[in-house]
Amino acid sequence: MSGGLLVAGTTSDAGKSVVTAGICRWLVRQGVKVAPFKAQNMSLNSFVTREGAEIGRAQAMQAQACRVEPTALMNPVLLKPGSEQSSQVVLMGKPVGELSARGYHGGRQQQLLGTVLECLAELRGTYDAVICEGAGSPAEINLRRTDIVNMGIARNAGLPVLVVGDIDRGGVFASFFGTVALLSDEDQRLVAGFLVNKFRGDVSLLEPGLDMLHGLTGRRTYGVLPFRHGLGIDEEDGLRVSLRGTVRESNTAPPLGEDVLRVAVCAIPLMSNFTDVDALAAEPGVVVRFVDRPEELSDADLVVIPGTRGTVKALEWLRERGLAEALVRRAAEQRPILGVCGGFQILGEHIEDEVESRKGAVDGLGVLPVRVRFAREKTLTRPVGEALGERVEGYEIHHGVAEVTGGGAFLDGCRVGQTWGTHWHGSLESDGFRRAFLREVAAAAGRRFVPAPDTSFAALREEQLERLGDLIEEHADTDALWRLIESGAPQGLPFIPPGAPA
C-alpha cells in the first residue's frame, strides 16, 4: 500500500485545497507519483473529466498539480447545492438524485463509505502517495457518526492527519487545540500535527506560541506558510448569495492599449463555475468585478451572466433586483453581454423546467432566440470547436437542452448583435479565442483596449501551482512531512481531554 495523508482544517476555507495542491506539486518535484483525493465535496464549481464524469474543480486543479489526468476516483461524491436545504448527489461522476441535508446525513452518506474506500484503495494501489483533502472541520461532532470525508476516512484507511489553520482570521491556537480536544481518543491518535496558513509578519514572534501548543497537545507544527496574494484558485464555495464588490485578482501588468476593459459579473444565486471569469481576470488591463445592482452595469464594457444550479431562481432574482430590465435594455443598445450555461438559458425566450425548479413554463429575458427544456439526464461533455476564427475547448454541465431558432452561430449557442450565449464552460481559457472575443468587446464598447498577444492562461495556472509547491518546499518541514506520508502518525501521541461526546 502506498503512503497517504489527510489534510484537514480547523474551518472551511482554511486553505485545505491549496495546501493539498502544494503538497502534491512538491511531491511531483521529488519524482513521486502522486494523486489527490476528496471523498466528498460540496461545490458548485465542477469539472468534466475525459471520460465524462463530473468532479469538483478543486480536485481537477490538484490533479494538474500532480501532472496527472483527473478521474472520478479522485472525488467519488460531489454534492451540488440547489438550496439551503438540499443538494444534488453526484456519485462517481453521475447524478443519482436530490437529497435534503437530513436525508443525506441520516443514512445515505454512510452507505457511500464503501464506494469511497474502494476508490481510495484503487488510487493507493496505483500511486506512490495519495494526498487526501478533508471538508469543513474534523471536529463537527454532530456529524461524526456518518462522516466519510474527515476522521471517518482517516480511521478506515489508517491515514495520518495534518490540521491546517488560517491564522489571518485570528484564534488559530484555540482552533488547533479545540479541534484535537473534540475528537475521540481513536481519532486523536491519527492527528499528527498542525500547519499554519496565511501568516503575515515575523515568524519568530509566532514561535513561542507554537512551542506552547506543542507542550499542550504533544503535537508539532509542520510549517508556517506566509500569506500570498492570488492563490485562491478554483474555490469550492458556490452558496454565497452575493459577491458584490469582490474583484477577481487581475494580472498586475498594465494594459497594452490606452484603456482598461471593465467586466461586471452578475452575482446570481447558486453560481456555478464562476471560475470561468478567471481567464478574463488574467488578461492585463481587464478588471473583473462581481455585482448585484443594476447601476453597477452602467460603466461595464462587458456583462457576464455565469452558470447557476438554479436557472429559474436566478432569473427571478434578476427581475426582483431590476437587473433583468437593465440587461434587456443593454442588449437593445448593442452593449456586450455574455451568458454562460445557466446565464445563456436566462437570455433565451422560454424555459420549460420540470426538473430543477419544477416551475414548468417560464419566460426568459427574450434577448436570444433560444427555447430551453430541462432534461432529467445531465449533459457532461468536453466539446472542441471553432469560433471567431479560433480553436476553442470547453466542457458542458447542464440539464437544460437548448433549441436555437435564429441568430448567428456561436459555439453551441448563438449570437444576436453584441449578446452572446453558450453552454460551454472554460471556453475563455482558449487563448486565441479569448483575445478575439475581447477585441470584439472592446470595439463594441468603444474602448482602446488591446489584448496581450502572449498571455497564456495555462502557463499562468502552472505558475500558480509552482508557487504553491514553493510554499511547501520553502516553509514546511518537508523531511518530517515525507516521514508522515510514508510511515503514518507518530506513536504515543497524548490524548487531549475532554474528547468527543459519547
Side-chain angles (χ1 to χ4, degrees):
M1 190 67 79
S2 70
L5 174 70
L6 175 70
V7 178
T10 57
T11 63
S12 296
D13 203 30
K16 297 183 293 291
S17 294
V18 292
V19 167
T20 300
I23 293 173
C24 288
R25 178 49 60 98
W26 162 67
L27 287 171
V28 166
R29 291 174 177 176
Q30 314 311 307
V32 177
K33 187 181 178 185
V34 60
F37 179 78
K38 186 161 185 172
Q40 171 197 293
N41 195 348
M42 177 173 280
S43 178
L44 287 171
N45 285 333
S46 57
F47 183 75
V48 179
T49 67
R50 293 204 181 279
E51 68 267 27
E54 185 180 8
I55 66 171
R57 273 200 68 95
Q59 279 60 67
M61 177 267 291
Q62 290 161 358
Q64 187 176 345
C66 297
R67 298 193 176 116
V68 298
E69 191 67 31
T71 72
L73 292 172
M74 298 170 184
N75 179 207
V77 181
L78 174 64
L79 305 179
K80 302 195 72 175
S83 70
E84 297 288 343
Q85 301 294 329
S86 66
S87 295
Q88 183 182 67
V89 181
V90 179
L91 178 63
M92 295 303 294
K94 304 295 181 184
V96 294
E98 197 92 13
L99 278 179
S100 67
R102 180 174 293 277
Y104 183 69
H105 290 287
R108 177 61 168 161
Q109 184 180 35
Q110 194 65 17
Q111 294 171 9
L112 298 174
L113 179 61
T115 299
V116 163
L117 290 173
E118 288 171 7
C119 291
L120 179 56
E122 186 170 342
L123 289 173
R124 296 184 80 182
T126 305
Y127 292 89
D128 301 328
V130 179
I131 308 302
C132 308
E133 180 188 342
S137 162
E140 290 167 349
I141 53 179
N142 57 315
L143 302 177
R144 176 61 185 90
R145 184 178 60 83
T146 57
D147 171 48
I148 64 170
V149 65
N150 290 307
M151 300 313 299
I153 193 79
R155 282 267 292 278
N156 277 280
L159 295 171
V161 179
L162 184 68
V163 180
V164 178
D166 179 358
I167 198 170
D168 196 48
R169 295 181 175 190
V172 74
F173 292 116
S175 298
F176 281 145
F177 183 88
T179 296
V180 179
L182 281 176
L183 300 178
S184 68
D185 186 18
E186 293 84 354
D187 285 350
Q188 286 193 27
R189 291 174 195 168
L190 294 172
V191 179
F194 314 108
L195 186 75
V196 177
N197 192 28
K198 299 182 183 178
F199 179 73
R200 306 172 192 250
D202 185 347
V203 176
S204 66
L205 299 176
L206 186 67
E207 287 170 349
L210 300 178
D211 291 339
M212 286 184 269
L213 182 67
H214 183 270
L216 288 166
T217 66
R219 290 159 174 85
R220 59 167 299 171
T221 297
Y222 283 76
V224 178
L225 307 185
F227 186 94
R228 290 287 185 267
H229 287 284
L231 291 181
I233 51 179
D234 293 347
E235 294 100 328
E236 295 179 353
D237 184 9
L239 277 174
R240 284 174 282 186
V241 174
S242 172
L243 289 174
R244 187 173 64 80
T246 300
V247 178
R248 297 306 271 181
E249 196 160 331
S250 300
N251 194 305
T252 54
L256 267 67
E258 297 178 44
D259 292 338
V260 299
L261 209 61
R262 296 173 177 83
V263 179
V265 184
C266 294
I268 56 180
L270 298 173
M271 275 192 298
S272 61
N273 290 64
F274 56 84
T275 47
D276 281 338
V277 300
D278 286 347
L280 295 176
E283 283 286 346
V286 175
V287 179
V288 179
R289 191 167 190 261
F290 287 92
V291 303
D292 63 1
R293 297 188 302 211
E295 58 268 26
E296 293 176 300
L297 305 186
S298 60
D299 66 344
D301 302 307
L302 169 66
V303 173
V304 177
I305 311 175
T308 173
R309 243 289 269 157
T311 298
V312 172
K313 182 176 182 178
L315 184 56
E316 292 170 348
W317 181 87
L318 290 169
R319 286 181 168 136
E320 288 168 2
R321 291 186 170 247
L323 282 158
E325 184 180 347
L327 287 165
V328 172
R329 185 167 58 249
R330 182 183 180 91
E333 294 168 353
Q334 297 294 304
R335 301 182 66 200
I337 300 172
L338 172 64
V340 180
C341 201
F344 167 42
Q345 297 165 7
I346 284 168
L347 291 169
E349 297 169 341
H350 185 79
I351 298 169
E352 193 72 35
D353 181 13
E354 298 291 351
V355 176
E356 194 175 76
S357 69
R358 297 182 176 87
K359 290 289 184 73
V362 177
D363 289 332
L365 296 187
V367 174
L368 292 177
V370 176
R371 300 179 69 83
V372 177
R373 176 185 55 81
F374 274 69
R376 297 202 174 277
E377 186 174 345
K378 183 183 283 191
T379 298
L380 296 167
T381 63
R382 291 270 293 271
V384 177
E386 184 176 302
L388 303 179
E390 300 285 348
R391 186 176 186 273
V392 190
E393 295 183 33
Y395 55 99
E396 294 185 51
I397 306 169
H398 55 92
H399 284 280
V401 179
E403 178 190 0
V404 179
T405 59
F410 179 62
L411 300 175
D412 71 314
C414 65
R415 170 191 184 179
V416 173
Q418 291 300 322
T419 300
W420 318 63
T422 177
H423 275 127
W424 290 22
H425 293 290
S427 64
L428 294 167
E429 295 180 20
S430 298
D431 298 325
F433 166 71
R434 182 180 64 254
R435 294 183 197 118
F437 178 68
L438 289 177
R439 280 193 290 270
E440 291 249 0
V441 168
R447 295 288 185 188
R448 290 168 295 184
F449 168 84
V450 179
D454 56 354
T455 300
S456 166
F457 185 75
L460 290 171
R461 172 57 56 84
E462 185 65 17
E463 285 176 19
Q464 285 191 312
L465 295 173
E466 284 292 290
R467 290 174 66 197
L468 293 177
D470 291 342
L471 280 178
I472 298 300
E473 192 165 322
E474 296 169 11
H475 301 283
D477 186 339
T478 52
D479 289 340
L481 195 58
W482 176 246
R483 287 194 298 272
L484 190 62
I485 293 168
E486 192 175 39
S487 304
Q491 297 296 307
L493 292 169
F495 172 71
I496 308 301

